[in-house]
Amino acid sequence: MYDFTAPFQHPAGSPIRELFKYLGEPGMISFAGGYPASDLFDAEGLQAAAAKAWQASTRCLQYGPTDGLPELKTQLLALMARRGVTCAPEEMLVTTGSQQGLDLLLRVLLNPGDTALTEQPAYPATLQALRLQQAHVVTVPVDGDGIDVDNLAARLASGAIVRPKLLYTVPTFANPTGATLTRERRLALLRLAVQYRFAIVEDDPYGDLRFAGNAVPSMLALASEVEGSRDWIVHFSSLSKVVAPGLRVGWAIAPAEITRRCVIAKQTVDLCSTPWTQAIAAHYLEAGSLERHLPHITQAYRGKCEALCDGLRAQFGEELAFHQPEGGMFVWARIPGVVIGTLLPNAIANKVIFVPGKAFFADDPDTASLRLSFAAPNVDEIREGVARLKRATHATRTASVASVPA
Amino acid sequence: MYDFTAPFQHPAGSPIRELFKYLGEPGMISFAGGYPASDLFDAEGLQAAAAKAWQASTRCLQYGPTDGLPELKTQLLALMARRGVTCAPEEMLVTTGSQQGLDLLLRVLLNPGDTALTEQPAYPATLQALRLQQAHVVTVPVDGDGIDVDNLAARLASGAIVRPKLLYTVPTFANPTGATLTRERRLALLRLAVQYRFAIVEDDPYGDLRFAGNAVPSMLALASEVEGSRDWIVHFSSLSKVVAPGLRVGWAIAPAEITRRCVIAKQTVDLCSTPWTQAIAAHYLEAGSLERHLPHITQAYRGKCEALCDGLRAQFGEELAFHQPEGGMFVWARIPGVVIGTLLPNAIANKVIFVPGKAFFADDPDTASLRLSFAAPNVDEIREGVARLKRATHATRTASVASVPA
C-alpha cells in the first residue's frame, strides 16, 4: 500500500533486540543484553535527587532549553573536568542518551555516500545509524588493543581509503570487544585525523567502569597533546551505564559550530530531552553521588568479569579464545571451528543466550565470534551460564563435526 | 574547517526560539511562547504518580522497550478509546513528544524531493522537519474553518499537485491559527487521501483543550466513516499540552507496518523514550488524574482567551481582524497595513512580545499577521499586554505612515 522506498531500509530491526524474546523464559541465563545490572542502581541516591529536583517542580514539568538544563550542563562540565577535559557550555549538548548524539551528528555532517569509518566489530546501532544516513561504511579491524591504527594509516596513505568524513570508535572497553585503545594508538589516531581532516567520533559510555589496569585518558582529553586535533573530535558520553539508562541522559561535546547545528536539528527532532530526569541527574551529580556509588558498580563488575573469564578458562581451556577486559561490560570470544549461528539454538535449548558476533560486522563477519556481557547476571548465574555454554558447544560440535572445518 | 554540505541546512534555528531572549526581561508580557501555563500543572497529581512509579524503581531506571512501556501503552489506548478511536498496541508508538513522531515518520516515509503538503500557515518545526528530510513542500491555504479542502481537491484534480506523499495538518485548534477543521471538511479530506493515496498526518496535541463550542471527532476517529481511509492516517498526540511537556511523552498511531518501521528507526535514534517519566505518565493516567484536572486547565484557558479576544476588540476595533478559537492556546490575528516585522521592535520596546506570522509560512508570507498565545500570561497581564500592543501599533503606524500602504 505505502511506498516504502525511503532511504531508511532496515526492516529487520536490531539483531540483538531479536534475542529479547528469550529473556523472559524461566531459568534463562543471559549474556546477551547490553543492559547494566538493575540491582546495582543507586536507588537511594536517585530518590534523594528526585526529591530535590521536585522542589522546583515547574523546572521538571515545563519545556527546557534544547541544549539541556543549564544546571545539568554545569554538573556535566565539572564531570568532564574531573576526566581531564575542559570545555565550554556552547560545546556541550545534552541528548536523549548518547545514541541520540550520534544520530544528530550524522544528520548534520554526512551526505549520502560520504565515507564513514568504523572499527570492526562495532556497535550495531552505529552501523544502523550510518545506514540510515546512507553513509559508505568502511571498516578498520580491531585487536586486543583497540582499532588497528597502522592498518588505517597505511590505507589512508595508499589511497585505498579516500577522504573519510569521520571515524566512529568506542576506544575504552569497546562494545563488543571490551578492548581499550592504547595511549600510543590514540595519539597516532589524533594525528591522522588532523592530517586527513576527518572527525573522530569518540563514544565513551563505559570509560568510568574501569576495575583493573591503569586509566587511559579519553581521546578528547589527549587532544591537548596533538596540535589542531581538538577541532576534529566529537565526544559522546552518557549516564546510562554509570547511573541509570532510565534517565535517558547523554551528552555530546563538539566544536561549537557543530554543537550549534546539532542543537538546531534537535529542535526539530524532539525539542528537548526530558527536563524532569535532567533535573534529577543534575541533583544526583551535584550531591557527589556518582563518585560515591561508582565503586560499588565497578567492584561488582570486577567480580562478574572474573567469574566469567575464570569460568571460560576452566570450562573451555584452549578451545575458546578471549581477551580479558579491564572494565566495561563485555567479553569478546572466539570458538574456532564452531559456527556461532549454529551454537545459538543449542545454547537456547540449554537456557543460556549471548549475541553471535556476526551482528557486529558491517562486512565479512567472523562467524566463530560471540559477545558475552557479564553485567546483568550474578556470579552464580555466570558460572552456571558458562557451564551451559560449554554443554551447548559440545552438542554443536557433535552434531556438526563432519561439516564444519576445525 | 568542516564541510557543512549535509542535507540539513537551516543554521538560523527556530524563529520562535530567537524570541526567547526577551522572555527574561523584567516586566515583559509574552504572547510568544507555545508553552502551556506552568501554574496550571497538576503538581499534586504528578507527585502522587511519581511516588507510585517509584515503587517499581527498576522499571523507572532501566531501559524500556523501544515502542514504549506496555503499562503506558495500555493507558494511552484507553485514552484514545475515550476519544472514539480503537487501535491495537502494534499500531502505537510512544515518542519523545509528538515532535519525535513526525521526525521518525518523515524518515521512514519520505524520499528527498517527495511532495509533502502542509497547511499554511503551519507550525514552523514541521516545516523544519520537512526541510531536514528534503521534502518538496507544497502549501494549502487555511481559513477560519481549517485547511481549504476544496482548494486542495481542485489542485489535485487539475494535476497542479502531483502524487503528494503526505499532508500534515493540526485540524483541531491549529498552531498557529487556532482554527478547527469542520466535520465536513475532515470527511472530504479523508476521501481525497484514499483517492489520491497520500497519508494524512494528523497532529492533535490540543484537541482536549476545548472550552467552547461542540467537539469534532479527530480525523482518526472519523476514518471509520470513510472506507479505506484508516490505512492512510497517521495520528500524533501528546501529554505536553494537557499534562506537562517535561514528561516528554507523546505517541503515534499508524498502520502497523508504518509503526514497525518507526520503531526500528527509533532503535537507532534514541533506543527508547524516558522510561521514568513514561512510568509516571502511566500512573497519572491510571489514577484518572487527566480527566480530573483537565477542566481546571480548560476553564483557565477559556478566561484567558476571552480576556485576549475582548481586549483585542476593545483596543483595536476594526483595525485588527481575528477568529476567536474554541480551544487550544492560540489566536491568529491580522493588522492590515502594518508590517509586523516593523511592529515587533516597537512591541518589545513596550514590553510585550508575540510571534510575527511570517515564521509560519513556507512561502509567500502574510506580513500583516501575528500569533498571540494566551496560555502563559494571566488575565491581568493579557489585558495590559493588549494595551501595550495597541500602543506599539500606534507607534508603528505613526512612524511608517508614509511608507506602508494602508
Side-chain angles (χ1 to χ4, degrees):
Chain A
M1 177 201 67
Y2 281 93
D3 167 25
F4 286 119
T5 55
F8 180 57
Q9 291 300 335
H10 194 334
S14 156
I16 298 180
R17 297 219 149 208
E18 290 298 301
L19 292 168
F20 282 12
K21 59 186 168 205
Y22 300 111
L23 291 180
E25 289 192 10
M28 182 66 74
I29 294 174
S30 174
F31 297 123
Y35 286 21
S38 293
D39 54 352
L40 294 173
F41 290 145
D42 180 12
E44 201 179 318
L46 285 161
Q47 190 174 19
K52 273 201 179 168
W54 188 252
Q55 288 172 13
S57 63
T58 296
R59 198 89 181 139
C60 297
L61 298 178
Q62 192 53 279
Y63 288 109
T66 301
D67 64 328
L69 290 185
E71 60 268 37
L72 176 59
K73 291 185 70 171
T74 299
Q75 292 301 324
L76 294 174
L77 290 168
L79 174 60
M80 291 309 298
R82 293 195 292 278
R83 294 179 183 173
V85 173
T86 306
C87 61
E90 62 268 25
E91 294 174 308
M92 178 181 276
L93 167 63
V94 174
T95 54
T96 308
S98 61
Q99 183 85 26
Q100 189 190 39
L102 180 64
D103 183 56
L104 291 171
L105 180 76
L106 297 184
R107 292 177 86 169
V108 162
L109 274 192
L110 282 192
N111 281 303
D114 276 351
T115 294
L117 307 172
T118 67
E119 46 202 4
Q120 171 142 293
Y123 176 47
T126 298
L127 300 175
Q128 207 172 338
L130 290 167
R131 285 189 198 108
L132 187 49
Q133 211 52 31
Q134 296 177 273
H136 170 56
V137 177
V138 175
T139 63
V140 183
V142 165
D143 60 27
D145 289 329
I147 201 164
D148 185 343
V149 180
D150 285 343
N151 173 295
L152 175 61
R155 289 156 74 196
L156 286 165
S158 73
I161 297 174
V162 181
R163 275 193 296 158
K165 201 128 181 194
L166 56 85
L167 176 144
Y168 173 88
T169 178
V170 184
T172 308
F173 316 134
N175 181 1
T177 67
T180 294
L181 194 68
T182 62
R183 184 186 175 96
E184 292 66 35
R185 287 194 183 181
R186 287 175 195 232
L187 292 169
L189 191 52
L190 287 167
R191 287 189 292 266
L192 286 180
V194 174
Q195 183 182 349
Y196 292 97
R197 304 176 65 78
F198 60 86
I200 293 174
V201 182
E202 176 181 48
D203 198 356
D204 187 30
Y206 311 110
D208 273 356
L209 296 177
R210 177 175 287 278
F211 45 71
N214 297 316
V216 184
S218 69
M219 307 269 299
L220 181 61
L222 284 173
S224 59
E225 300 186 20
V226 177
E227 200 185 329
S229 65
R230 178 69 184 251
D231 289 345
W232 295 101
I233 288 244
V234 178
H235 179 98
F236 299 129
S237 193
S238 169
L239 297 183
S240 293
K241 304 303 192 289
V242 294
V243 182
L247 297 165
R248 304 311 293 124
V249 169
W251 62 97
I253 297 168
E257 179 59 19
I258 292 186
T259 300
R260 194 178 74 82
R261 287 168 187 254
C262 287
V263 170
I264 292 167
K266 189 171 162 67
Q267 288 173 0
T268 299
V269 163
D270 67 2
L271 286 173
C272 62
S273 295
T274 309
W276 198 339
T277 54
Q278 284 190 61
I280 293 169
H283 283 285
Y284 187 81
L285 294 171
E286 191 185 12
S289 299
L290 174 61
E291 287 70 30
R292 203 153 39 234
H293 188 73
L294 196 57
H296 296 284
I297 299 177
T298 52
Q299 194 183 336
Y301 281 10
R302 178 191 295 121
K304 290 172 185 232
C305 181
E306 283 172 2
L308 176 59
C309 294
D310 292 349
L312 290 174
R313 277 185 287 261
Q315 293 279 350
F316 285 88
E318 298 293 309
E319 185 186 6
L320 179 147
F322 69 97
H323 183 88
Q324 186 157 347
E326 297 185 331
M329 296 166 47
F330 305 111
V331 168
W332 182 249
R334 295 192 79 244
I335 311 179
V338 171
V339 176
I340 300 298
T342 315
L343 171 60
L344 185 61
N346 284 323
I348 292 168
N350 278 277
K351 296 277 182 195
V352 62
I353 54 172
F354 54 83
V355 181
K358 194 181 166 193
F360 303 93
F361 287 79
D363 50 50
D364 195 20
D366 175 358
T367 58
S369 63
L370 64 161
R371 187 192 76 175
L372 300 164
S373 168
F374 51 81
N378 65 36
V379 166
D380 288 340
E381 288 165 343
I382 288 171
R383 290 192 184 117
E384 172 61 21
V386 174
R388 292 178 187 178
L389 189 62
K390 173 64 187 178
R391 286 200 292 278
T393 305
H394 181 72
T396 308
R397 283 197 194 278
T398 310
S400 64
V401 69
S403 59
V404 178
Chain B
M1 178 200 67
Y2 280 92
D3 167 24
F4 286 118
T5 56
F8 180 58
Q9 291 300 333
H10 193 335
S14 156
I16 298 180
R17 298 218 149 210
E18 291 298 301
L19 292 169
F20 282 12
K21 59 187 168 207
Y22 300 110
L23 291 180
E25 288 191 12
M28 181 65 75
I29 293 175
S30 173
F31 296 124
Y35 285 23
S38 294
D39 55 351
L40 293 172
F41 291 145
D42 179 14
E44 200 180 319
L46 285 161
Q47 190 173 21
K52 275 201 177 168
W54 189 251
Q55 287 172 13
S57 63
T58 296
R59 198 90 181 139
C60 297
L61 297 178
Q62 192 52 278
Y63 288 109
T66 301
D67 64 328
L69 289 185
E71 60 269 37
L72 175 60
K73 291 185 69 170
T74 299
Q75 292 301 323
L76 294 175
L77 290 168
L79 174 60
M80 291 309 299
R82 293 195 292 279
R83 294 179 183 173
V85 173
T86 307
C87 61
E90 63 268 24
E91 294 174 308
M92 178 181 276
L93 168 62
V94 174
T95 54
T96 308
S98 60
Q99 183 84 26
Q100 188 190 40
L102 179 64
D103 183 55
L104 291 171
L105 180 76
L106 298 185
R107 292 177 86 169
V108 162
L109 274 192
L110 283 193
N111 281 302
D114 276 351
T115 295
L117 307 171
T118 68
E119 45 202 3
Q120 172 144 294
Y123 176 48
T126 298
L127 300 176
Q128 207 172 338
L130 289 167
R131 284 188 198 111
L132 187 49
Q133 211 52 33
Q134 297 177 269
H136 170 55
V137 176
V138 174
T139 63
V140 183
V142 165
D143 61 27
D145 289 329
I147 201 163
D148 184 343
V149 180
D150 285 344
N151 173 295
L152 175 61
R155 289 156 74 196
L156 285 166
S158 73
I161 298 174
V162 181
R163 274 193 296 158
K165 201 128 180 193
L166 57 84
L167 176 144
Y168 173 89
T169 177
V170 184
T172 308
F173 315 134
N175 181 3
T177 66
T180 294
L181 194 68
T182 63
R183 184 187 175 96
E184 293 64 35
R185 287 194 184 182
R186 287 174 195 234
L187 292 169
L189 190 51
L190 287 167
R191 286 190 292 266
L192 286 180
V194 174
Q195 183 182 349
Y196 292 98
R197 304 174 66 76
F198 61 85
I200 293 174
V201 182
E202 175 180 50
D203 198 356
D204 186 30
Y206 310 109
D208 274 356
L209 295 177
R210 176 174 289 278
F211 46 70
N214 297 317
V216 184
S218 69
M219 307 268 300
L220 182 61
L222 284 174
S224 59
E225 300 187 18
V226 177
E227 201 185 328
S229 64
R230 178 69 183 250
D231 289 344
W232 296 101
I233 287 244
V234 178
H235 178 98
F236 298 129
S237 192
S238 169
L239 297 183
S240 292
K241 305 303 192 287
V242 294
V243 182
L247 297 165
R248 304 309 296 122
V249 169
W251 61 96
I253 296 168
E257 179 59 19
I258 292 187
T259 300
R260 194 178 74 81
R261 287 169 187 255
C262 288
V263 170
I264 293 168
K266 188 170 162 68
Q267 288 173 1
T268 298
V269 163
D270 67 2
L271 287 173
C272 62
S273 295
T274 309
W276 198 337
T277 54
Q278 285 190 61
I280 293 169
H283 282 287
Y284 187 81
L285 293 171
E286 191 185 12
S289 299
L290 174 61
E291 286 70 30
R292 203 155 38 237
H293 188 72
L294 196 57
H296 296 284
I297 299 178
T298 51
Q299 194 183 333
Y301 282 10
R302 177 191 296 119
K304 291 171 185 233
C305 182
E306 283 171 3
L308 176 59
C309 294
D310 291 349
L312 291 174
R313 275 185 288 260
Q315 294 278 351
F316 286 87
E318 297 293 308
E319 184 185 7
L320 179 148
F322 69 97
H323 182 87
Q324 185 157 347
E326 298 185 331
M329 296 165 47
F330 304 112
V331 168
W332 182 249
R334 296 191 80 245
I335 311 179
V338 171
V339 175
I340 299 298
T342 315
L343 171 61
L344 185 62
N346 284 323
I348 291 168
N350 278 278
K351 297 278 183 195
V352 61
I353 55 171
F354 56 82
V355 181
K358 194 181 166 193
F360 303 93
F361 287 79
D363 49 50
D364 195 18
D366 175 359
T367 58
S369 63
L370 65 161
R371 187 192 77 175
L372 301 164
S373 169
F374 50 80
N378 65 36
V379 166
D380 288 341
E381 288 165 342
I382 289 171
R383 289 191 186 118
E384 172 60 22
V386 173
R388 293 179 187 178
L389 189 63
K390 172 65 186 179
R391 285 200 293 278
T393 305
H394 182 73
T396 307
R397 283 196 194 278
T398 310
S400 65
V401 68
S403 58
V404 177

